Amino acid sequence: MTYCVGMLMDAGLVFLSDTRTNAGVDQINTFRKMAVFERAGERVMVLLSAGNLAVTQSVVTLLHERMAQDGDSLLRAPNLFEAARHVGDCVREVHRRDAESLRAFGIDFNVSLIFGGQIAGEPPRLFNVYAAGNFVEATPDTPYFQIGESKYGKPIIDRIFRHHTPLEEAAKCALISMDSTLKSNLSVGMPLDLAILRRDELRVACLRRIEADDPYFQRLRVGWSERIQQAFTALPGLEEAGWCDGRG
Amino acid sequence: MTYCVGMLMDAGLVFLSDTRTNAGVDQINTFRKMAVFERAGERVMVLLSAGNLAVTQSVVTLLHERMAQDGDSLLRAPNLFEAARHVGDCVREVHRRDAESLRAFGIDFNVSLIFGGQIAGEPPRLFNVYAAGNFVEATPDTPYFQIGESKYGKPIIDRIFRHHTPLEEAAKCALISMDSTLKSNLSVGMPLDLAILRRDELRVACLRRIEADDPYFQRLRVGWSERIQQAFTALPGLEEAGWCDGRG
């Protein structure tokens, strides 16, 4: 499995992905699930992928191939909407080529993508592209997307993250969300890839591979665990409910 | 959907369930998912159920019918293991009667149960009974089971709950876990049912229907939300990571 999250803010975009892939439990590997497409000063885009690795790799490779050719590509799309359509077209091309053969082996054509960035003249935008090549766009009401093992890490994002959250705080929130997922699900694993895009910089502001022994991430994990325990302890105990004085 | 959790401790057992059932999004109802079987002073058992409501209701009704008859029943089982087997037998009986007809309509025979309690002469025990009627038993290493929408509320249980946790604290932890689930998933809803069994009392110590406007549960939800925000804010900021000084 996988866990990836993409966050849209006034101030820019944050992307975080794990690197674990597994086929069953006995074939576990590390693959980058984050791809960056950049023409610095003009456009910058980040793609996070979950699902069948053969499918997601094919999509990313196709996107790079198209960039090296003359026709439509992420580098020529006039805006992020057209860029997301291009991503969807590449998903559909892989589907046309592979879906039937996969079906013959009982394998679903399983792919889910988070795609976002900024092209000069537009604000930052964020999309969730589905296996059918269609997509939805994030808005201030729902300014984030998750793909893969999304449920463990959703409560903390729902509590903390808003469209007006500063970039560094959003990245911290994404890391805490990832920590909860790592703790509860073996199919999500270190290292992580983090990308931060500041509005109107039109280049990646920060692109970081975070290893398991990274001192800051360690501090975050230990600190969060301790503070959660303290927060829990500080809450009023059940005896204050008065529920169990009789038999309720 | 549903969210239920059962917790096994040295000190006894805690059970918590929501009450929402839904068929799609336009048929939403409230049903109790907790059943209590008790012969005070001799045995006490609690069953939590998730899955197809017609199936889970049939199982609970069968268990009650058996108790009113002369043969095997929860009241005659010599220990909790045999009681869990009896629950499994009732699941299999419903399967024999209904599964083929359900299949004809493309409906899975979908049921998952948490079953636990204490019979005089034994310590408290806790089981997770599957749709096939087989089951696993909780141990001090893994002293809890969840069924239904379990992922949102798993991280907090993993962080807080242990086999030696006091009963009231476990109940508080279950309520926080439920709160995270309620916040993130519409298919889980108020009111809640809480049962606490103290070791060797052989009766329910506390059985409580918790409504949405319950003052203690409100305090817990608001207090937890505030403390999570404070804990998050108190963690070191991303600038301390030194990741983004260059481009990482």
Side-chain angles (χ1 to χ4, degrees):
Chain A
M1 212 40 183
T2 292
Y3 177 49
C4 303
V5 56
M7 298 163 139
L8 173 72
M9 283 145 285
D10 297 325
L13 292 147
V14 166
F15 300 88
L16 182 69
S17 53
D18 84 317
T19 52
R20 181 156 298 171
T21 65
N22 67 300
V25 293
D26 55 355
Q27 197 176 338
I28 292 181
N29 288 302
T30 300
F31 280 92
R32 194 177 193 90
K33 298 164 191 177
M34 177 183 286
V36 177
F37 308 90
E38 185 185 88
R39 185 175 276 170
E42 188 214 276
R43 65 184 60 207
V44 55
M45 287 160 275
V46 175
L47 184 75
L48 306 178
S49 54
N52 182 304
L53 183 64
V55 172
T56 59
Q57 278 194 342
S58 292
V59 170
V60 172
T61 304
L62 261 183
L63 288 169
H64 281 293
E65 269 189 13
R66 295 285 182 275
M67 283 167 57
Q69 292 163 358
D70 242 6
D72 286 344
S73 82
L74 290 181
L75 296 184
R76 291 185 174 215
N79 53 57
L80 246 297
F81 176 79
E82 292 297 337
R85 279 185 155 181
H86 180 69
V87 172
D89 287 343
C90 288
V91 172
R92 286 170 183 164
E93 186 171 332
V94 177
H95 186 269
R96 274 192 298 276
R97 187 184 152 80
D98 291 344
E100 200 177 315
S101 301
L102 290 175
R103 196 160 37 235
F105 285 83
I107 301 169
D108 282 341
F109 184 84
N110 173 19
V111 52
S112 181
L113 305 167
I114 293 174
F115 175 69
Q118 187 176 12
I119 293 178
E122 281 197 320
R125 299 173 76 175
L126 183 68
F127 298 85
N128 187 355
V129 184
Y130 303 113
N134 58 335
F135 52 81
V136 294
E137 182 170 3
T139 67
D141 284 336
T142 302
Y144 73 92
F145 292 122
Q146 301 169 292
I147 53 177
E149 278 292 354
S150 61
K151 294 184 180 182
Y152 306 102
K154 189 170 190 295
I156 186 65
I157 297 179
D158 286 339
R159 288 184 198 277
I160 299 287
F161 177 66
R162 300 291 176 267
H163 186 245
H164 56 74
T165 301
L167 288 176
E168 279 74 12
E169 224 168 279
K172 193 169 91 171
C173 178
L175 289 164
I176 299 289
S177 167
M178 181 65 80
D179 174 47
S180 296
T181 310
L182 290 165
K183 261 186 119 65
S184 291
N185 192 301
L186 269 187
S187 76
V188 178
M190 302 287 298
L192 312 176
D193 290 303
L194 172 71
I196 301 179
L197 279 58
R198 289 189 205 289
R199 185 189 183 106
D200 298 336
E201 280 191 8
L202 301 171
R203 63 200 287 280
V204 176
C206 176
L207 184 63
R208 183 77 187 192
R209 166 63 56 102
I210 303 162
E211 301 289 345
D213 62 354
D214 179 90
Y216 174 72
F217 190 53
Q218 288 286 350
R219 274 177 70 198
L220 220 52
R221 300 189 82 171
V222 172
W224 183 243
S225 183
E226 286 171 2
R227 283 170 204 282
I228 287 286
Q229 306 257 359
Q230 289 161 7
F232 179 81
T233 305
L235 288 174
L238 204 71
E239 58 286 357
E240 295 193 30
W243 291 342
C244 306
D245 303 339
R247 289 185 66 179
Chain B
M1 216 30 188
T2 291
Y3 176 48
C4 302
V5 56
M7 297 164 141
L8 173 72
M9 284 145 284
D10 296 325
L13 292 149
V14 166
F15 300 88
L16 182 69
S17 53
D18 83 318
T19 53
R20 181 156 298 172
T21 64
N22 67 300
V25 293
D26 54 357
Q27 197 175 339
I28 293 181
N29 287 302
T30 301
F31 281 92
R32 193 176 192 90
K33 298 164 191 177
M34 177 182 286
V36 177
F37 308 90
E38 184 184 270
R39 185 174 277 170
E42 188 214 276
R43 64 183 62 206
V44 55
M45 288 160 272
V46 175
L47 184 75
L48 307 178
S49 54
N52 182 305
L53 182 64
V55 172
T56 58
Q57 278 194 341
S58 292
V59 170
V60 173
T61 304
L62 262 183
L63 288 168
H64 281 292
E65 269 190 12
R66 295 285 182 274
M67 282 166 56
Q69 292 162 358
D70 242 5
D72 287 344
S73 80
L74 290 180
L75 296 186
R76 293 186 173 213
N79 53 55
L80 247 296
F81 176 79
E82 292 296 336
R85 279 185 156 182
H86 180 69
V87 173
D89 287 343
C90 288
V91 172
R92 286 170 183 164
E93 185 171 332
V94 177
H95 185 268
R96 274 193 297 276
R97 187 183 152 79
D98 290 345
E100 200 177 314
S101 301
L102 290 175
R103 196 161 38 236
F105 285 82
I107 301 170
D108 281 342
F109 184 84
N110 173 19
V111 52
S112 181
L113 305 166
I114 293 174
F115 176 69
Q118 187 175 13
I119 293 178
E122 281 197 321
R125 300 173 76 174
L126 183 68
F127 298 86
N128 187 356
V129 184
Y130 305 113
N134 58 335
F135 53 81
V136 294
E137 181 170 4
T139 67
D141 285 334
T142 303
Y144 73 92
F145 292 122
Q146 303 169 291
I147 53 177
E149 279 290 354
S150 61
K151 294 184 180 183
Y152 306 103
K154 189 171 190 295
I156 186 64
I157 297 179
D158 287 338
R159 288 185 199 277
I160 298 288
F161 177 66
R162 301 290 176 270
H163 187 245
H164 56 75
T165 301
L167 287 175
E168 279 73 13
E169 224 168 279
K172 193 169 90 172
C173 178
L175 289 165
I176 299 289
S177 167
M178 181 65 80
D179 174 47
S180 296
T181 310
L182 290 165
K183 261 186 119 64
S184 291
N185 192 301
L186 270 186
S187 76
V188 177
M190 302 287 297
L192 311 177
D193 289 304
L194 172 71
I196 301 178
L197 279 57
R198 290 189 204 289
R199 186 189 181 106
D200 298 336
E201 281 191 7
L202 302 170
R203 63 198 288 278
V204 177
C206 177
L207 183 63
R208 182 78 187 192
R209 167 63 57 104
I210 304 163
E211 301 289 344
D213 62 355
D214 179 272
Y216 174 72
F217 190 53
Q218 288 286 352
R219 275 178 70 199
L220 219 52
R221 299 189 82 170
V222 172
W224 183 243
S225 183
E226 287 171 2
R227 283 170 204 281
I228 287 285
Q229 306 258 0
Q230 289 161 7
F232 180 81
T233 305
L235 288 174
L238 205 71
E239 59 285 357
E240 296 192 29
W243 290 343
C244 307
D245 302 340
R247 289 184 67 179

